């Protein structure tokens, strides 16, 4: 029994750090989605979209427009209709929400906070992240 234990210990990699195997980390995280670059122009800002199915798309917008809504309309990323409070956004990145049918609408955010102005009244600030999220 002592001889068997001695043989099993001599097979170990004791004392020699070059023979120690480092475990490889396995990550179950998926890579962050790629940012889609749209437009041309001197002003650059980030625009994020989250639809009703939680699909997320991030855009890097390049424009010469001064207002967020104008830049996004010019690039075909948003569409809607004019109302008494300005542009009522109905379609974003090809996804149309109809409040009358499903109770969903596009909510406009600046840096994670509900925006104080409409998308067609908000001047572009290059350090700000603008978002439209499906909301109920």
């Amino acid at each position: 029994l002592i001889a068997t234990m001695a043989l099993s210990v001599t097979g170990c990699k004791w004392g020699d750090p070059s023979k120690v195997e480092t475990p490889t980390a396995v990550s179950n995280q998926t890579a962050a989605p790629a940012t889609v670059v749209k437009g041309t122009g001197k002003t650059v800002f980030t625009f994020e979209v989250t639809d009703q199915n939680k699909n997320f798309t991030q855009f890097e917008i390049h424009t010469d427009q001064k207002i967020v809504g104008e830049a996004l309309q010019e690039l075909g990323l948003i569409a809607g209709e004019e109302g008494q409070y300005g542009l009522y956004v109905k379609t974003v990145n090809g996804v149309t929400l109809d409040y009358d049918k499903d109770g969903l609408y596009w909510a406009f955010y600046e840096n994670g906070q509900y925006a104080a102005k409409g998308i067609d009244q908000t001047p572009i600030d290059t350090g700000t992240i603008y978002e439209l999220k499906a909301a109920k």
Side-chain angles (χ1 to χ4, degrees), residues 18-32:
S18 67
K19 294 184 180 180
V20 174
E21 292 181 27
T22 305
T24 305
V26 177
S27 175
N28 61 355
Q29 295 178 342
T30 57

Side-chain angles (χ1 to χ4, degrees), residues 21-73:
E21 292 181 27
T22 305
T24 305
V26 177
S27 175
N28 61 355
Q29 295 178 342
T30 57
T35 300
V36 179
V37 178
K38 290 274 197 177
T40 58
K42 295 177 185 170
T43 302
V44 179
F45 67 93
T46 300
F47 173 58
E48 298 176 344
V49 177
T50 305
D51 69 16
Q52 72 274 28
N53 297 318
K54 306 296 184 222
N55 295 316
F56 175 82
T57 307
Q58 184 177 64
F59 296 92
E60 179 181 293
I61 304 299
H62 296 252
T63 186
D64 288 324
Q65 297 290 340
K66 303 292 183 212
I67 303 295
V68 175
E70 292 172 359
L72 298 176
Q73 282 181 302

Side-chain angles (χ1 to χ4, degrees), residues 72-128:
L72 298 176
Q73 282 181 302
E74 178 179 72
L75 295 171
L77 288 171
I78 67 169
E81 55 191 46
E82 287 297 323
Q84 72 184 69
Y85 302 108
L87 179 66
Y88 175 50
V89 177
K90 290 189 164 194
T91 302
V92 178
N93 197 28
V95 177
T96 300
L97 300 180
D98 186 341
Y99 186 80
D100 294 328
K101 285 185 181 177
D102 52 27
L104 294 171
Y105 68 97
W106 290 106
F108 180 49
Y109 294 86
E110 295 179 86
N111 289 328
Q113 301 294 316
Y114 203 79
K117 295 180 181 179
I119 199 165
D120 62 336
Q121 300 169 346
T122 301
I124 297 170
D125 178 6
T126 56
T128 301

